[in-house]
Amino acid sequence: SLVERGGKLLIFAPSPANYSFTVDFNEIFWRNEIHIVSSYAGAPYDYSTALELISFKNVNVKRMITHRLPLEEIVQAFQLVVKAQSSVKVILEPNRLA
């Protein structure tokens, strides 16, 4: 009910082993044409290693942030990400004024 007709549901996280969920196939796919897609998310070990590297300043993550935009410029932010030409990480700052 949270996804508009023709929208996409992105599953972006690993789940516990043998996790499953039930969907109404006709309602989701035929009537509303909703797409369910997955995306890789790191394993817990990957995250803990990355956080350790960041905390010891072995990786300069600040240099990865190429754009900081106010929430009002969300369309531009998504365009930067989709084009993937000059952006690495685009940060939306809700409290930042345009």
Side-chain angles (χ1 to χ4, degrees):
S1 66
L2 298 175
V3 182
E4 287 188 24
R5 184 176 187 172
K8 288 184 183 178
L9 170 63
L10 172 63
I11 300 173
F12 182 78
S15 61
N18 300 318
Y19 178 80
S20 65
F21 65 95
T22 304
V23 297
D24 182 333
F25 188 83
N26 287 327
E27 187 68 27
I28 298 292
F29 299 109
W30 295 110
R31 291 191 187 103
N32 290 304
E33 299 177 357
I34 292 172
H35 300 271
I36 299 176
V37 295
S38 64
S39 180
Y40 170 76
Y45 175 78
D46 296 336
Y47 287 121
S48 65
T49 301
L51 289 172
E52 185 176 320
L53 290 170
I54 293 167
S55 69
F56 287 113
K57 303 198 183 318
N58 293 9
V59 177
N60 184 354
V61 292
K62 288 184 180 181
R63 291 183 347 152
M64 295 178 189
I65 300 170
T66 55
H67 298 80
R68 291 180 179 272
L69 300 169
L71 190 57
E72 292 83 15
E73 295 179 26
I74 191 169
V75 173
Q76 180 187 353
F78 276 100
Q79 288 171 344
L80 285 165
V81 172
V82 169
K83 289 179 185 174
Q85 293 173 341
S86 64
S87 65
V88 176
K89 287 290 182 189
V90 177
I91 305 294
L92 285 171
E93 298 178 330
N95 296 326
R96 183 178 176 163
L97 300 175

